Amino acid sequence: MTTSAAPVEELAGQRERLERNVFLTQLLLSVAVLILVCVVIVLSPETASSPMFLIGAGVVFVSTVLSAVIPWGLVPRAVVIVLPLLDLIALAFLREGEPALAASLFMVFPIIWLSTYFGFTAAVVAPFLASLYLWMSAALSPGDLQVDDLPRLLVLPITFFFVSTTAYLTAKRSRAQRTLLRQQALLLEDALSRARRDKRTLDEVLNAVNFGVVGFDDVGRVTISNEPYRRLLDQYGALEGTSFISNLYGEDRTTPLSVEQRPSTRAMHGETFDNVTVWMASPDSPSTAHSFSGRQLVSEKGERDGSVIVSRDVTTELKAIKARDDLVASVSHELRTPLTSILGYLELVLDSESVDEDSRAMIEVALNNADRMLALVADLLTTAADSEHLYLLTFSRTDLNQVVEQSLEGLRPAASERGITLETVADPGIVLQADGFRLRQVIDNLVSNAIKYNTENGIVMVSISETDDTVTLRVADTGIGMSAEEQKGLFEKFYRADSVRQSSVHGTGLGLNITRNIIEQHNGQVQVESIPGEGTTIIVTLPRQAVLGA
């Protein structure tokens, strides 16, 4: 319906414009002739009674009436040519009625009309007809031609042709400009339609997500906001004079954020930030935590053109993390009591003189491993309670080959159950200043992961190399590998990759986090190289000398 209505309206507009232009063009000549008639009546009443003069004036006024009453938009366009031709005839009668009035000058009006509306042919024929009339009139007049007749017979026709050419070229240029403007208008309408459609699509997309989005220009005016953000604004109130949420609090849930600390202020000052957690509260709603991220918008010229803020409700996540940490801390705490008891009784057994040497050796192995387990439980308890935990390190001369052999010896039973081969490649006598207990913990974590996430009958290769200043430890497996996305969070606390979360392989997600912290406290570095389906290599680089990390 809309598609068909547009052409109809356009045609109606064209008809209306044609009728208006015809009337206004004819009216211009009729006004000029009316003034001429009034002057003649005042100055030369006898001329006004001349039949030729009266016929000429009458034809002009009849043409004017016809231009007003005939619906020119409903008749063929070529019919309109009748009016300027009638005007030429009427002006010829006026001139014949009184040659001294120089009414032939008024022929410029229909000539302009014909040249403007009816193209090149009319632009040539119209001045030619007017000139032909002047020449025939002069030829049929009694008497000889005088010098005074030259302007009328030469200059006036030249003027007609000049005016006709100018009118034709001006009209042609105007039509070209109108066509260009019409095309540009169509392009603008199409661009505006696409922009409106894109805006509707953007609104639908933004309103479909469950996180708040608000954008604003470089002076802080809100340019876009989605439904979730507006709900937050209604629920927690707007900052006075703005469209930003007012009731924002710090991590203690009670201290209001200052103006400079607010995510909106930081974004408007040109700052980019990620996952800034703040709390919202109001008398009628429970406190909720939201994570804010801000990005800067840049124009095509590279200038700052505003900002956008995204907020996400993380209340459930924070509660889950706290519950998880509480559980880990509780379990770890409960493990310490039985382990302490085990250690105590093992030490009592070793103090007994009735224990033979073979039994004593086995009890000592159990005692050492129980002692290590108690230390690991203590670390787990501390790690769960404090994400910035620093381990107490004791640096001494450490034989890394010996630490690796002890670790592999303890893990061979687990490897044998799955047919996994443990191999080592190392230069002899690699010694560095480090905490041997913590390095054993690092190697245990890396090798046990390589065993757990390996394929059946796979291989775990531990290699050690050295330079003058550093020692490099590589633990490579032939396991399932990881994607680039999974590698990003590998060393985060409690992180487990999607590829193993649904598997039967269990874990806490703390081992690699502890490993990274220990290595960084040794002022070392840890890297991961992995290809899905082919395996993973963990690369640990440590300084040979004891340089405490931050």
Side-chain angles (χ1 to χ4, degrees):
M1 180 176 179
T2 304
T3 304
S4 61
V8 173
E9 292 178 359
E10 185 176 354
L11 289 175
Q14 291 177 353
R15 289 197 298 267
E16 184 180 350
R17 286 193 297 270
L18 177 62
E19 294 172 0
R20 183 172 60 250
N21 290 336
V22 168
F23 175 71
L24 292 178
T25 305
Q26 180 62 35
L27 182 63
L28 185 63
L29 174 63
S30 63
V31 170
V33 171
L34 177 63
I35 294 174
L36 178 64
V37 170
C38 293
V39 171
V40 168
I41 291 174
V42 172
L43 300 179
S44 180
E46 64 278 6
T47 301
S49 60
S50 169
M52 300 287 284
F53 187 85
L54 292 175
I55 290 173
V59 171
V60 170
F61 292 122
V62 169
S63 298
T64 304
V65 173
L66 292 177
S67 70
V69 299
I70 295 178
W72 298 101
L74 300 178
V75 300
R77 186 180 178 87
V79 177
V80 181
I81 200 172
V82 173
L83 291 179
L85 292 178
L86 286 176
D87 290 338
L88 284 174
I89 296 172
L91 291 172
F93 275 99
L94 285 174
R95 181 183 177 281
E96 293 300 325
E98 179 52 62
L101 291 176
S104 55
L105 289 174
F106 284 5
M107 290 184 176
V108 169
F109 291 100
I111 289 174
I112 292 176
W113 190 353
L114 289 167
S115 302
T116 300
Y117 280 86
F118 300 101
F120 178 76
T121 302
V124 174
V125 173
F128 176 76
L129 291 176
S131 301
L132 182 62
Y133 158 70
L134 293 177
W135 294 332
M136 291 180 64
S137 177
L140 296 176
S141 298
D144 298 330
L145 294 176
Q146 303 297 323
V147 176
D148 294 341
D149 296 326
L150 291 179
R152 176 169 56 85
L153 299 178
L154 293 179
V155 177
L156 197 57
I158 292 174
T159 302
F160 288 161
F161 277 99
F162 176 78
V163 170
S164 174
T165 302
T166 302
Y168 167 72
L169 294 177
T170 301
K172 184 178 180 180
R173 190 161 49 247
S174 298
R175 284 193 294 270
Q177 290 175 346
R178 283 197 301 271
T179 301
L180 180 61
L181 290 174
R182 191 177 300 111
Q183 292 174 346
Q184 291 176 341
L186 292 175
L187 290 175
L188 288 175
E189 289 177 1
D190 185 55
L192 180 60
S193 177
R194 289 199 307 271
R196 287 172 176 168
R197 184 172 61 252
D198 292 343
K199 184 178 183 301
R200 288 195 300 269
T201 302
L202 179 61
D203 288 341
E204 292 297 328
V205 171
L206 291 180
N207 289 330
V209 299
N210 58 359
F211 49 82
V213 179
V214 58
F216 47 91
D217 58 21
D218 54 352
V219 295
R221 290 189 297 262
V222 174
T223 57
I224 188 171
S225 63
N226 68 344
E227 185 61 30
Y229 181 82
R230 291 192 289 270
R231 285 199 300 268
L232 286 178
L233 204 63
D234 293 339
Q235 184 175 0
Y236 295 103
L239 193 64
E240 184 177 356
T242 71
S243 295
F244 298 106
I245 300 169
S246 61
N247 298 318
L248 299 184
Y249 298 86
E251 293 185 1
D252 61 358
R253 307 191 188 188
T254 57
T255 304
L257 293 181
S258 66
V259 174
E260 296 300 321
Q261 293 173 323
R262 300 177 61 83
S264 55
T265 304
R266 294 172 61 181
M268 284 189 290
H269 287 171
E271 185 177 346
T272 296
F273 50 88
D274 286 301
N275 302 322
V276 175
T277 302
V278 298
W279 285 86
M280 300 181 187
S282 72
D284 303 325
S285 302
S287 297
T288 57
H290 291 258
S291 176
F292 284 83
S293 295
R295 291 291 183 273
Q296 299 304 305
L297 302 179
V298 181
S299 67
E300 294 179 355
K301 298 180 180 179
E303 301 173 349
R304 197 173 80 84
D305 196 28
S307 303
V308 62
I309 296 176
V310 177
S311 65
R312 183 171 60 90
D313 191 335
V314 293
T315 309
T316 304
E317 295 178 22
L318 293 183
K319 290 180 178 178
I321 291 173
K322 186 178 185 305
R324 181 193 61 193
D325 291 346
D326 291 343
L327 176 62
V328 173
S330 176
V331 171
S332 302
H333 180 75
E334 294 299 325
L335 286 174
R336 296 177 72 180
T337 300
L339 281 174
T340 303
S341 177
I342 291 171
L343 285 171
Y345 279 101
L346 287 174
E347 289 174 352
L348 289 175
V349 172
L350 287 177
D351 290 340
S352 175
E353 297 179 356
S354 62
V355 178
D356 59 75
E357 291 301 322
D358 291 338
S359 299
R360 184 178 297 275
M362 289 187 288
I363 294 173
E364 286 178 350
V365 172
L367 180 63
N368 290 335
N369 281 282
D371 192 36
R372 290 188 64 251
M373 184 175 290
L374 182 61
L376 294 176
V377 168
D379 289 340
L380 182 62
L381 179 62
T382 307
T383 302
D386 184 5
S387 60
E388 301 296 330
H389 170 62
L390 296 179
Y391 300 96
L392 179 62
L393 302 184
T394 303
F395 285 85
S396 62
R397 189 175 182 273
T398 301
D399 186 334
L400 189 56
N401 291 356
Q402 183 178 1
V403 176
V404 169
E405 285 299 326
Q406 291 174 351
S407 176
L408 295 183
E409 189 63 30
L411 293 170
R412 286 191 192 279
S416 299
E417 290 180 1
R418 301 186 60 207
I420 294 173
T421 303
L422 303 181
E423 298 179 358
T424 59
V425 176
D427 297 332
I430 296 181
V431 178
L432 71 161
Q433 291 289 323
D435 187 315
F437 176 83
R438 295 302 179 184
L439 285 189
R440 169 69 183 276
Q441 190 174 351
V442 167
I443 297 168
D444 283 350
N445 284 337
L446 297 181
V447 176
S448 63
N449 277 350
I451 293 172
K452 284 194 296 184
Y453 304 118
N454 212 324
T455 57
E456 297 293 332
N457 302 314
I459 298 174
V460 175
M461 174 66 72
V462 181
S463 60
I464 311 171
S465 60
E466 63 178 336
T467 65
D468 292 339
D469 300 321
T470 62
V471 174
T472 301
L473 170 72
R474 294 173 180 267
V475 179
D477 63 58
T478 56
I480 59 177
M482 290 176 290
S483 66
E485 188 66 27
E486 290 174 328
Q487 294 176 41
K488 293 179 181 179
L490 187 61
F491 296 99
E492 299 300 324
K493 190 170 65 170
F494 298 110
Y495 176 81
R496 299 196 75 210
D498 292 337
S499 58
V500 299
R501 192 174 298 159
Q502 304 299 327
S503 68
S504 59
V505 179
H506 300 290
T508 63
L510 286 170
L512 289 179
N513 176 262
I514 294 172
T515 296
R516 183 189 62 180
N517 291 341
I518 292 173
I519 293 170
E520 289 180 348
Q521 281 191 253
H522 279 79
N523 204 36
Q525 295 178 342
V526 59
Q527 296 172 290
V528 58
E529 296 176 355
S530 186
I531 300 176
E534 295 186 14
T536 301
T537 300
I538 304 293
I539 305 168
V540 176
T541 304
L542 297 168
R544 296 182 69 94
Q545 300 301 319
V547 181
L548 291 178

